[in-house]
Amino acid sequence: QLQLQESGPGLVKPSETLSLTCSVSGDSITSSSYSWGWIRQPPGKGLEWIGSLSYSGSTSYNPSLKSRLTISLDTATNQFSLKLISVSAADTAVYYCARREEEVAGTIDHWGQGTLVTVSS
Amino acid sequence: SFELTQPPSVSVSPGQTARISCSGDNLSDKYACWYQQKPGQSPLLVIYQNGKRPSGIPERFSGSNSGNTATLTISGTQAVDDADYYCQAWDFSTAIFGGGTKLTVL
């Protein structure tokens, strides 16, 4: 049974870097059928795609975040991570990690439980 | 840029059929999927590739996609279906989400 679990600081200061990790169990991040990504949801608002990365190197980034964004995979620990630089209050949100199917329609089929990150001094 | 538009709210009586629309330019050229989100929970995939149901999703959930509109239909709506619903499609390599619809079962 696939499980994804986000971890990282819940509070980040403005202009600093937001760093989160997603631990994957029940599947390998080296699978050729899937990519691994992030979605966020500001409090009380809708969902926003951040980006994804597959083991083969296929990437998908939200154009509005691309210049501040790094997504990477760690095959040794079966984890993937998100780094978002130069954050502001607008980056305050619940951050979800997720698995995306790569072979047909790109369906985001499994989500982590989410972690709230607040940007504040 | 590509956008998906959903009604902010839909109300339905228990046992009746709820329909939630999602509109976007030539949406039928893309695959649409739907997520259910209850308060404090992560989104749950309920429909993918326009009309397919993941394992474990009740048969009362169905979907269609034609022209500029995708529709999520919940037949025989139950109280447990009270939730926010989001449609999603891909615009090139970016996932686009609708703004969400609050389904109230009353």
Side-chain angles (χ1 to χ4, degrees):
Chain A
Q1 177 182 351
L2 177 66
Q3 291 190 327
L4 302 100
Q5 178 68 59
E6 305 87 353
S7 61
L11 181 64
V12 181
K13 290 182 167 56
S15 80
E16 296 190 346
T17 297
L18 181 159
S19 297
L20 295 174
T21 296
C22 182
S23 299
V24 179
S25 59
D27 196 2
S28 172
I29 63 171
T30 64
S31 169
S32 61
S33 299
Y34 299 100
S35 60
W36 306 91
W38 297 89
I39 301 107
R40 69 182 183 179
Q41 185 172 34
K45 296 188 178 180
L47 300 166
E48 181 182 31
W49 174 250
I50 298 173
S52 67
L53 174 65
S54 72
Y55 180 66
S56 66
S58 173
T59 59
S60 164
Y61 294 135
N62 185 325
S64 68
L65 299 172
K66 186 175 181 178
S67 64
R68 299 193 290 130
L69 179 62
T70 301
I71 297 174
S72 59
L73 307 182
D74 185 342
T75 58
T77 59
N78 211 39
Q79 297 175 327
F80 62 101
S81 65
L82 166 71
K83 291 189 188 301
L84 187 66
I85 65 171
S86 304
V87 297
S88 69
D91 295 308
T92 293
V94 175
Y95 285 76
Y96 297 99
C97 61
R99 185 181 79 170
R100 171 190 172 185
E101 168 269 311
E102 284 281 316
E103 294 180 338
V104 179
T107 302
I108 304 166
D109 62 1
H110 283 85
W111 300 59
Q113 66 181 32
T115 187
L116 175 63
V117 178
T118 301
V119 179
S120 174
S121 56
Chain B
S1 62
F2 185 74
E3 296 181 349
L4 294 173
T5 301
Q6 299 180 234
S9 63
V10 169
S11 296
V12 64
S13 300
Q16 299 302 303
T17 297
R19 294 181 179 84
I20 300 173
S21 63
C22 174
S23 299
D25 287 345
N26 298 311
L27 182 55
S28 61
D29 291 342
K30 309 176 190 297
Y31 281 118
C33 60
W34 292 89
Y35 300 93
Q36 175 194 71
Q37 187 179 34
K38 296 182 179 181
Q41 297 184 16
S42 57
L44 173 70
L45 180 68
V46 295
I47 292 290
Y48 68 103
Q49 292 180 32
N50 298 329
K52 296 182 178 180
R53 275 181 294 105
S55 174
I57 300 302
E59 290 184 7
R60 64 180 181 273
F61 287 87
S62 62
S64 62
N65 187 6
S66 178
N68 294 324
T69 304
T71 303
L72 174 68
T73 301
I74 309 173
S75 304
T77 306
Q78 301 181 7
V80 294
D81 302 327
D82 193 298
D84 293 329
Y85 291 84
Y86 293 90
C87 61
Q88 182 259 313
W90 291 92
D91 182 37
F92 297 101
S93 63
T94 300
I96 306 297
F97 291 93
T101 298
K102 169 60 181 171
L103 177 67
T104 301
V105 182
L106 43 66

